[in-house]
Amino acid sequence: MADGALNPGVNLEAFAQAIAAIQALRSSVTRVFDCLKDGMRNKETLEGREKGFVAAFQESLHSVSRDLGELERLSNLVGKPSENHPLHNSGLLSLDPVQDKTPLYSQLLQAYKWSNKLQYHAGLASGLLNQQSLKRSANQMGVSAKRRPKAQPTTLVLPPQYVDDVISRIDRMFPEMSIQLSRPNGTSAMLLVTLGKVLKVIVVMRSLFIDRTIVKGYNENVYTEDGKLDIWSKSNYQVFQKVTDHATTALLHYQLPQMPDVVVRSFMTWLRSYIKLFQAPCQRCGKFLQDGLPPTWRDFRTLEAFHDTCRQ
Amino acid sequence: MQRRSGRSDGVRKVASGHSGVGVSQVPVAEGKSVQQTVELLARRLEALGADKQGTFGVDCETYHTAAALGTQGQTGKLMYVMHNSEYPLSCFALFENGPCLVADANFDTLMVKLKGFFQNAKANKIESRGTRYQYCDFLVKLGTVTMGPSARGISVEVEYCPCVIANDCWNLLMEFMQSFMGSHAPGIPSVFSTKHDSAYSPGDTMVQYMELFNKIRKQQQVPVAGIR
Ligand SMILES: [Zn+2]
C-alpha cells in the first residue's frame, strides 16, 4: 500500500518509529518498577546500598523521561488522521486485503446500521410511551439522563406494614379475589391470589413493586415439595401459560414509580377481569375458541376480552 | 387423578376438583357402519391437530334389586356399577336419578357377596372403548359403544382440563365439539344444570355415561351390515 494513496496526513515511517518508541517506554517503565521491587542490593555498607539504589532508580527514571520525550516528538511527526472518512480511522479497515478471513469492515458497517436503526426505533418508542399515563418511568423518557429523578430508591424501602395495608385494602376491594400474603424470604412479600374458581396467581413483590407473576389453574398445585410457593414452574395448561405472558406484559404497562400502590391496584383490577376467562367470547370475532384457546387477552383500559391474535 | 389406597375403608365421595366434561352420543352416519363413523371423526380430530394419547374404556354393569329384598316400592330399581380407565383404582355405583358413590376398586367383590340383594343382569353389560386425543387443553375420548358382541353406537367425551366449573366452560366446550362433530354436538347435559357453581367431579362424568348407555340400550339395534 502506498501511504500517499492511503492517507496523505499520516507518515507511516514515523508511525512505525512511534510504535517502537512505545515499546521502549513500556520496558523502561517496567525497569523502574523492577528496581523498586528489588530494593537495595547487598553492598558492604548501608550507605553504599542506599547510594547504589538511588543511582539505579534515578537512571531508570531518566530513561522513562527520555523515552516519553521521544514518543512525544514522534507523535507530532505522525500527523493528524484525516477526518474525511465518515467512519474515521475505522474506515481504514476497508483497505484490509484479506476480506474473506477478517470481514471486520462489513461487520462494522452492519453494526453501525443496526445501531442507527435502534436509535431511531428507540426514539419512536419513547415518543409513543410518553403518551401513556401509567408507565414505568414517568419523567425519564425523552429527557436527558442527567435530569433523571431518583424516585425509585425511596419507594423501595417502604415499611412492610405499609405494604401489608395496601394489599389488605385491595383484598377487601374485590370479594371474588382472595390474596394471601407471606414473607418466606425476608422482607419481600409474596402473594397468592385466588380468583374465583378460575385461576391462581403467584406474585413476587419487591417492596410494592411486582417483580414476577405466574398464573396457574385453580386445580393446579402452587407449592413445592417443601411447602413453599413455587415461583419457578409454569402451568401445565396452555391457556394459563398464555395468561402468564399477558400478565407479565401488564406489569410493564401499569407503572408509576411515585405511586406504587396505584400500580398494584391497577394490576389487580386488570387481573380480576379473568374471572370470566372461560365464559367471555372474543370482542372482535365473537367466538370462544381460536386455535384451541379462549380469549386470553384483556384490554388494559376497557378490560374487554380478546384472542391474542384478535387484539389491535 | 385421585390416588387411592388398596385398603378398603368403605364408600366415599371424591373430594378433589375435576374439569368440565361433556359426554355425548354421535349418530352413525347414513349408509356407514359404526366403525366407519368413528374413523371419520378420528380423521376430523387429527385434521384439527389433535394428538393420539393412548386408549380408554368405560364399562357399566346393571344390578337388579333382588325380590328377596321385599319392599314393594323398591322393586325394579336398578343400580349401575361402572369403571373408568381414567380412575383405575375406583369403582362407581350409581342409581338412576340417584346418588353416585365412588368406592375403591374392590367394591366389585363386595357386590359378589351381596348377590342375595343385588343380581347382576349380565346380558345388560355395556361398555365404550376407544382412543384418547389431546388438542391444546382439551382431552377427547372417542369410543365405540358395544353391548355383547355388537357395536351399538359412538360416544364422544370432551374434557376442558383447565376449567373446574362445568357451567363456566359449557359454551366453549360446545364450540369445540361443533368444530369436529358438526350439528351432532349435544345440548347441555342435565348434570350441568344441577351443578350451578360447584366443582365438577368424576362422578358427574359417570352419570353422563350412564345416561348415554341407557339411551343406547333402548334404541333399536343398529343394522351394521347388509343395509343395501
Ligand atoms: Zn377473536
Side-chain angles (χ1 to χ4, degrees), chain A residues 197-198 217-219 236-240 275 277-279 286-294, chain B residues 17-19 135-138 160-165 167-169 171-172 175-176 197-199:
Chain A
K197 284 183 178 167
V198 178
Y218 181 77
N219 56 359
N236 289 321
Y237 301 120
Q238 291 188 26
V239 58
F240 295 119
I275 190 90
L277 176 60
F278 304 120
Q279 297 173 63
K287 291 192 168 180
F288 286 95
L289 291 172
Q290 198 174 77
D291 300 323
L293 289 171
Chain B
H18 200 74
S19 36
Y135 171 66
C136 259
D137 297 327
F138 290 95
Y160 188 59
C161 307
C163 180
V164 293
I165 306 293
N167 276 327
D168 282 7
C169 63
N171 286 318
L172 185 151
E175 198 179 285
F176 175 60
D197 285 346
S198 56

Side-chain angles (χ1 to χ4, degrees), chain A residues 281-290 295 305-311:
Chain A
C282 171
Q283 292 301 299
R284 169 162 279 207
C285 70
K287 291 192 168 180
F288 286 95
L289 291 172
Q290 198 174 77
F306 291 98
H307 290 119
D308 193 16
T309 44
C310 287
R311 62 184 163 123

Side-chain angles (χ1 to χ4, degrees), chain A residues 131-158:
Chain A
Q131 293 164 10
Q132 308 275 344
S133 54
L134 288 177
K135 55 188 182 274
R136 176 152 281 207
S137 26
N139 301 327
Q140 295 178 7
M141 288 182 202
V143 183
S144 92
K146 282 176 219 154
R147 297 189 183 183
R148 187 173 295 172
K150 301 252 176 185
Q152 284 202 344
T154 55
T155 42
L156 276 178
V157 291
L158 291 167

